[in-house]
Amino acid sequence: AQTVTQSQPEMSVQEAETVTLSCTYDTSESDYYLFWYKQPPSRQMILVIRQEAYKQQNATENRFSVNFQKAAKSFSLKISDSQLGDAAMYFCAYRSSYNNNDMRFGAGTRLTVKP
Amino acid sequence: NAGVMQNPRHLVRRRGQEARLRCSPMKGHSHVYWYRQLPEEGLKFMVYLQKENIIDESGMPKERFSAEFPKEGPSILRIQQVVRGDSAAYFCASSRTEVNAEAFFGQGTRLTVV
């Protein structure tokens, strides 16, 4: 079964600095999708970035980028120039290409941004 | 195009009562997923539905929990005879048919059982 592990329950970063959130996953599938979601105190789940496993190029979205290491099954999120509004819970998620319903989430990392 | 709408946002029930959580997917989305989030934990898959069909309910407890997605109207997650352990945030997500379609989440319903 696919599992997603986020080994950092909490992280903090100084405003304007860079922080990296870790995520590893376990799967026997070759094709899948990986996501990072942000959950602010409002509880809304907001998609930050997605990565298709068949693409070697790391996805980027403005200040957010990923380091996708398929062989190592690692999918870390880098936030550059951190802003106070980035403070939230961040969840890494895995979605199977074969089962549309099979989407697994990590336990989350709480990110604090210090002014 | 309104996002995924869940209501109510907050629901308080006494032990033994029934809880009904509603989810209206985004326009054009025919797939609905329900997740449960316990405090300080990630989301746990409960059930996946398409219109009038339950596709996968492997994450849903066999007792007291049921879900439906009728041809017309919202998807309903129903919890009968609630217990304190049912207190959690329940999230609904919807997507289009394509396998790689992004899932969009509602804001969740926080259920508190007193």
Side-chain angles (χ1 to χ4, degrees):
Chain A
Q2 289 79 14
T3 58
V4 179
T5 302
Q6 291 179 250
S7 59
Q8 305 155 316
E10 295 183 356
M11 291 284 285
S12 68
V13 63
Q14 205 70 36
E15 194 177 4
E17 297 292 311
T18 296
V19 64
T20 299
L21 308 184
S22 301
C23 173
T24 59
Y25 57 94
D26 185 26
T27 185
S28 59
E29 298 176 343
S30 59
D31 197 15
Y32 46 86
Y33 300 87
L34 297 165
F35 306 85
W36 278 98
Y37 280 89
K38 171 185 177 182
Q39 187 182 43
S42 67
R43 293 210 317 264
Q44 179 73 50
M45 292 287 284
I46 302 165
L47 178 66
V48 175
I49 199 164
R50 63 182 281 167
Q51 173 83 41
E52 288 88 347
Y54 64 84
K55 289 187 178 179
Q56 290 186 336
Q57 187 173 5
N58 289 325
T60 62
E61 285 288 339
N62 301 315
R63 298 182 296 107
F64 299 88
S65 61
V66 298
N67 184 4
F68 173 47
Q69 302 288 329
K70 191 172 184 179
K73 296 179 183 173
S74 170
F75 182 61
S76 61
L77 174 70
K78 185 169 87 170
I79 306 174
S80 304
D81 186 25
S82 298
Q83 301 176 0
L84 295 177
D86 295 335
M89 284 288 287
Y90 285 83
F91 293 99
C92 177
Y94 168 103
R95 186 172 191 179
S96 171
S97 292
Y98 306 101
N99 294 318
N100 207 22
N101 52 304
D102 193 359
M103 189 164 183
R104 308 295 175 106
F105 286 82
T109 297
R110 183 177 301 281
L111 178 66
T112 302
V113 181
K114 298 178 181 178
Chain B
N1 187 4
V4 178
M5 304 301 291
Q6 288 188 250
N7 67 82
R9 289 291 307 278
H10 302 275
L11 182 62
V12 179
R13 285 287 179 267
R14 295 185 184 280
R15 279 179 293 173
Q17 290 185 318
E18 178 181 285
R20 279 181 177 250
L21 288 64
R22 294 176 185 76
C23 169
S24 296
M26 288 181 68
K27 188 177 181 181
H29 288 193
S30 57
H31 299 242
V32 166
Y33 314 80
W34 285 95
Y35 293 85
R36 176 163 63 177
Q37 184 180 30
L38 295 171
E40 305 304 318
E41 292 189 14
L43 280 70
K44 296 286 176 58
F45 168 77
M46 297 183 72
V47 61
Y48 163 46
L49 311 103
Q50 295 179 19
K51 285 280 188 183
E52 300 184 278
N53 284 306
I54 296 175
I55 306 302
D56 182 351
E57 56 183 347
S58 60
M60 199 157 66
K62 298 283 189 288
E63 308 283 333
R64 304 186 296 108
F65 285 72
S66 62
E68 62 177 12
F69 187 18
K71 188 176 181 180
E72 301 290 337
S75 175
I76 306 287
L77 178 67
R78 182 181 176 206
I79 311 172
Q80 295 178 289
Q81 299 173 339
V82 296
V83 301
R84 287 247 170 92
D86 296 334
S87 296
Y90 292 82
F91 286 89
C92 167
S94 73
S95 72
R96 298 195 316 268
T97 300
E98 295 82 0
V99 170
N100 63 349
E102 177 186 338
F104 291 82
F105 283 83
Q107 288 190 288
T109 294
R110 183 174 295 283
L111 172 66
T112 302
V113 180
V114 297

